[in-house]
């Protein structure tokens, strides 16, 4: 059975964008796939995990996907995370969450980071497990389409909350850009730290020195904990949503170094 | 009067290497300059400041210079720092210093960093002032050869001890790669910190997470102190002399982003 159904396709400036639904445990997970036009063989593929309150086609995800396709000749895929994008079932609640995060950002660094109520904490843990299962199902579906693919993962903030334990448990992912996350002070933090220590693949960790949601010590403790022998932290001034655009060049160089040319 | 006398020239694989003497306050300072073969117009030039116990043509300096020439079409120059390379007047003393640093490296991180005796401390401060004056004299000599040059600086460890206060006081240098250095626990540390806070140019700061000579907190305090609005720390695991080779790609991308193409 084909678990990945293409719903539509468009081409913009040499990039093919396909909207698909992925079937995972009875649920339809909306996703996007980007490829070079006239791409033949299976190619290196970057999984892009969006941040909290975002979705699979926010400007940052779309911009990254198009760069990976145009500059490297790679494919890129993104999914709406559980409860995000087209999977929002309660728009009022989603809007309340967005406002809560905006308030935390506005409070600035040193305001104590993210505080979780018990309901929020339970959702966080469930979303992580569900998101991990969906990425695994996506790799199964992509693998079924052709051999020879190698995968990288890019995701910061919630994209790291879900993506770090995912890539730590998934040997098909061979390099990961993570960041805007730290150790301690969060639901499921023991499991997260355990996954960080279990990592062996090369990691580029992006940290913001004035992150309103992640303290300096917390982010550096995550860097310290990551088990990979090759790991690099890129630290820039500025807040949680202010990673400099020039880091995109670093992501490309990192994936190219570890995954190699698009096809081989 | 020409203060920069070319003593010899050789060409290897498209790179012209000139050995020159620079006259600075009655002293001959030995230097090297690398250019693309058949380079006509003045071009972007990277000043490379070597580390303690090293000299102007150690493999790391030579490798960087050739990359800047071959990959970017830039020029590169290096000087023997005061008391280093061809300027060593007491070989036994230089050998003792090398052994002392080797012992500090062997002692590992957490051994308390670098300890300075009073004589060593005085030399450190004098060497910094003298090294800064020599870089300034070199820029004067290069400027006299042709307009339109833009300068970058690359130097870690002692190359930062001399280079950071130099670039902070020298508007002709427009971007700097620094690193393997920190705040506190060193001679002249107030002046060094003051210079760091006065920096305004883009800085790429390279830190080693297990540096035997520079503690994590000390290196991060330097990053924090740097006044530039664009500054990025690249942190990798490993010791003082173990910066990963892939950071060379980051140096190139950094200079290209800030200095632009070789000529314009």
């Amino acid at each position: 059975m084909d678990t990945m159904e293409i719903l539509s396709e468009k081409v913009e400036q040499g990039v093919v964008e396909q909207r698909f639904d992925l079937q995972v445990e009875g649920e339809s997970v909306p996703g996007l796939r980007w490829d070079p036009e006239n791409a033949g063989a299976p190619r290196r593929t970057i999984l892009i995990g969006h941040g909290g309150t975002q979705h699979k086609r926010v400007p940052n995800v779309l911009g990254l996907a198009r760069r990976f396709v145009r500059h490297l000749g790679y494919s890129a895929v993104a999914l709406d995370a559980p409860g995000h994008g087209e999977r929002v079932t309660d728009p009022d609640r989603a809007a309340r969450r967005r406002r809560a995060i905006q308030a935390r950002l506005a409070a600035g660094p040193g305001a104590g980071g993210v505080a979780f109520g018990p309901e929020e904490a339970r959702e966080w843990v469930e979303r992580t497990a569900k998101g991990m299962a969906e990425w695994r199902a996506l790799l199964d579906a992509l693998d079924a389409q052709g051999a020879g693919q190698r995968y990288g993962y890019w995701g910061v903030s919630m994209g790291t909350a879900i993506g770090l334990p995912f890539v730590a448990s998934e040997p098909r992912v061979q390099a990961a850009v993570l960041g805007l996350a730290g150790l301690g002070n969060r639901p499921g933090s023991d499991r997260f730290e355990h996954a960080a220590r279990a990592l062996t693949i090369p990691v580029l960790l992006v940290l913001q020195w004035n992150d309103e949601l992640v303290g300096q010590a917390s982010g550096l403790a995550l860097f310290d904990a990551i088990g990979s022998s090759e790991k690099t932290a890129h630290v820039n001034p500025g807040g949680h949503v202010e990673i400099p655009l020039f880091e995109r060049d670093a992501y490309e160089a990192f994936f190219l170094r570890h995954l190699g040319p698009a096809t081989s």
Side-chain angles (χ1 to χ4, degrees), chain A residues 112-173:
Chain A
V114 184
F116 287 89
E119 189 203 5
E120 213 174 356
R122 186 176 44 78
E123 278 182 7
W124 176 285
V125 171
E126 286 175 6
R127 186 174 58 221
T128 300
K130 199 169 180 178
M132 289 171 65
E134 291 166 0
W135 282 122
R136 275 194 294 272
L138 178 63
L139 290 199
D140 292 342
L142 292 173
D143 276 352
Q145 293 175 13
Q149 297 192 32
R150 301 173 70 179
Y151 300 99
Y153 180 88
W154 186 99
V156 299
S157 196
M158 191 183 78
T160 287
I162 296 171
L164 187 150
F166 162 61
V167 301
S169 65
E170 177 50 73
R172 289 174 288 187
V173 177

Side-chain angles (χ1 to χ4, degrees), chain A residues 102-116:
Chain A
Q102 290 297 336
R104 287 165 184 162
L105 292 173
V114 184
F116 287 89

Side-chain angles (χ1 to χ4, degrees), chain A residues 153-221:
Chain A
Y153 180 88
W154 186 99
V156 299
S157 196
M158 191 183 78
T160 287
I162 296 171
L164 187 150
F166 162 61
V167 301
S169 65
E170 177 50 73
R172 289 174 288 187
V173 177
Q174 299 180 358
V177 176
L178 303 167
L180 304 185
L183 292 190
N185 192 27
R186 57 192 293 164
S189 103
D190 288 352
R191 264 178 286 181
F192 185 77
E193 180 172 345
H194 185 266
R197 296 192 185 281
L199 280 168
T200 59
I201 58 171
V203 170
L204 172 55
L205 186 74
V206 186
L207 298 174
Q208 289 291 98
W209 200 234
N210 313 104
D211 194 318
E212 303 87 349
L213 306 183
V214 181
Q216 292 173 357
S218 168
L220 293 166

